[in-house]
Amino acid sequence: MSNVIHKPRHYWAAGSNRIRDVFRLAYLFATELSAAGAVEIIVRPVKSRRTLEQNAKLWAMLGDISRQVEWPVNGVMQKLDSEDWKALMTAAARQEIRMAQGINGGVVMLGESTKRMTVAELGDVIECMYAFGADKGVTWSEPKGQMPEQWEAAA
């Protein structure tokens, strides 16, 4: 084997019929790595990540809020884009705020990626958006489908 340093690889199977194939790929990779030294193998259940339906609902709802609600920024009421609303909503759902000093001064609020959220976590964000929207009179246009209660049960 050459002196190439390999990045870790993640393999997952969404059902027992794929386990053999996934283990075969992991075995080949581990065999290649073992020529350079010890290898660590971790097997664990996967947390259910957000669904495509949840993601579609999230962005539709963020679009609705961004078109219908003004929010104070630096003391001025204005419309925010969907990315800004996502940062606000994920912080509200998590009930925590992360701040950093800006490069040129000021304060920057650090958002959280929804890509890594579980089904239940993104369900919490969507629930928070429903509550906020009800308070602000937002008319929803998001695609119909599973409700957050069903997403939480799937987690």
Side-chain angles (χ1 to χ4, degrees):
M1 183 170 123
S2 65
N3 291 334
V4 176
I5 298 175
H6 293 276
K7 289 175 53 177
R9 292 187 188 166
H10 297 249
Y11 301 95
W12 66 276
S16 57
N17 58 337
R18 295 247 3 247
I19 295 290
R20 184 179 306 262
D21 294 333
V22 169
F23 271 98
R24 184 175 299 121
L25 290 171
Y27 171 77
L28 292 171
F29 181 62
T31 302
E32 182 182 333
L33 286 179
S34 67
V39 175
E40 177 182 29
I41 297 173
I42 300 170
V43 178
R44 65 176 181 240
V46 175
K47 286 185 177 180
S48 181
R49 295 288 179 209
R50 70 178 185 173
T51 66
L52 293 176
E53 292 84 8
Q54 275 184 306
N55 193 53
K57 179 180 282 293
L58 171 75
W59 286 102
M61 292 176 78
L62 289 168
D64 291 339
I65 292 170
S66 70
R67 285 185 297 278
Q68 299 175 44
V69 178
E70 288 190 340
W71 199 251
V73 177
N74 296 330
V76 177
M77 296 302 286
Q78 57 187 271
K79 299 262 176 107
L80 302 176
D81 65 19
S82 295
E83 286 289 337
D84 290 337
W85 278 112
K86 184 174 78 105
L88 283 166
M89 291 299 166
T90 55
R94 292 291 181 133
Q95 296 183 354
E96 64 182 49
I97 299 169
R98 294 176 55 226
M99 296 184 289
Q101 180 177 331
I103 301 298
N104 296 315
V107 175
V108 177
M109 305 302 283
L110 303 175
E112 183 170 344
S113 172
T114 54
K115 181 169 48 174
R116 293 185 205 87
M117 287 186 175
T118 64
V119 168
E121 289 169 333
L122 194 55
D124 290 344
V125 173
I126 290 171
E127 261 317 300
C128 181
M129 292 169 61
Y130 274 127
F132 177 84
D135 185 53
K136 299 295 182 189
V138 173
T139 302
W140 302 115
S141 64
E142 87 276 0
K144 302 301 179 200
Q146 295 178 316
M147 296 303 290
E149 299 88 303
Q150 294 165 313
W151 294 332
E152 189 171 330

